Amino acid sequence: MIEVKGLYKSFESKPVLRDVSLQINDGETLAIIGRSGSGKSVLMKHLIGLLKPDRGRVLVDGIDINRIPYAGLRRVRRNFGVLFQGGALFDSMNAFENVAFPLRLFTLKSDQDIRREVMRCLQVVQLPDVGSKSPSELSGGMKKRVALARAIALQPRYIIYDEPTSGLDPETSNTINELIKSLAERLDITSIVVTHDMHSVLSIADRVAYIHATRMHWIGTVKELHESEDFNLRSFVKANEYFIGNMPFTASQFCRL
């Protein structure tokens, strides 16, 4: 479980997050939504200790990650996989070596075991035959999937997705959403999805956290999202060409829009 308690962060005296508290339960998929510049990515970086709060605490499985030595933080980070917005593949490595990178860096596995793990991960993301290809030979969606294979290479307990469908066409976005759901179910992974894509939210999320005006403005289930009368939340959802109100819906219905 991840707990954020009273987190406050500012840059150059400008508050970005104020008194943000959040609990992420084991095994759930939580979508963090909000307008551009609302602090979604800043919150994400706090979860893995890339940023330290000015005030407040971040606890991962009961460990305050800002009060432990760097060696301890590295051990905590082993429990996380991260899919960065652009994939962040190393251009100098082919797909196989990109996925193998964390295994070579953080484990003492033999070359044979690393090869087996890399092929397993590429199979999971439905790209078993791209190992020899360079990132420049891959489409945008394929890059994201190879990056996702790399994110699961160390068999993490948590995966953070930073705008996983950004820049992708609807069909490829659906593929990524299906992979997120599949990984959560098959690997019993806790998923944190930072996004502004309501299609993804309604397709994959168990709960939704909405950041507005530097604060955690609203948290609830997708059903509660549909029923919410909160003006700011409804305005954000409507701006994304989805509507919440009195009409019942299911995520699958929205996927067909």
Side-chain angles (χ1 to χ4, degrees), residues 21-89:
S21 295
L22 175 67
Q23 179 174 302
I24 304 171
N25 301 313
D26 290 342
E28 77 170 336
T29 297
L30 176 76
I32 300 176
I33 64 174
R35 293 173 173 81
S36 297
S38 63
K40 302 187 302 294
S41 294
V42 173
L43 176 58
M44 178 198 75
K45 291 175 182 177
H46 279 86
L47 300 182
I48 50 177
L50 292 177
L51 290 174
K52 289 190 175 183
D54 300 333
R55 295 194 299 271
R57 306 171 68 195
V58 178
L59 292 87
V60 178
D61 299 325
I63 299 172
D64 188 330
I65 64 173
N66 296 299
R67 296 184 179 181
I68 57 176
Y70 181 67
L73 178 59
R74 279 173 59 91
R75 285 193 293 271
V76 171
R77 285 176 176 167
R78 284 278 306 266
N79 293 315
F80 284 85
V82 180
L83 177 62
F84 295 99
Q85 182 170 347
L89 297 178

Side-chain angles (χ1 to χ4, degrees), residues 99-116:
V99 179
F101 181 78
L103 294 166
R104 299 193 194 283
L105 185 64
F106 292 110
T107 76
L108 298 176
K109 292 180 180 292
S110 66
D111 287 346
Q112 183 177 2
D113 286 342
I114 288 174
R115 173 166 290 279
R116 185 181 301 113

Side-chain angles (χ1 to χ4, degrees), residues 188-235:
D188 192 25
I189 282 175
T190 302
S191 305
I192 303 103
V193 184
V194 177
T195 185
H196 64 272
D197 182 352
M198 290 305 300
H199 175 90
S200 291
V201 172
L202 297 169
S203 297
I204 65 177
D206 298 309
R207 286 195 304 144
V208 182
Y210 173 52
I211 300 177
H212 174 71
T214 75
R215 299 183 184 276
M216 187 59 71
H217 185 80
W218 186 92
I219 303 173
T221 65
V222 171
K223 182 177 184 296
E224 290 167 337
L225 172 70
H226 171 62
E227 297 170 347
S228 175
E229 296 294 331
D230 183 274
F231 174 79
N232 290 304
L233 179 62
R234 291 172 67 91
S235 296

Side-chain angles (χ1 to χ4, degrees), residues 220-256:
T221 65
V222 171
K223 182 177 184 296
E224 290 167 337
L225 172 70
H226 171 62
E227 297 170 347
S228 175
E229 296 294 331
D230 183 274
F231 174 79
N232 290 304
L233 179 62
R234 291 172 67 91
S235 296
F236 176 82
V237 174
K238 184 177 179 180
N240 282 271
E241 298 181 351
Y242 292 98
F243 296 88
I244 55 178
N246 296 322
M247 183 182 295
F249 76 95
T250 64
S252 60
Q253 287 174 316
F254 273 87
C255 289
R256 291 195 293 268

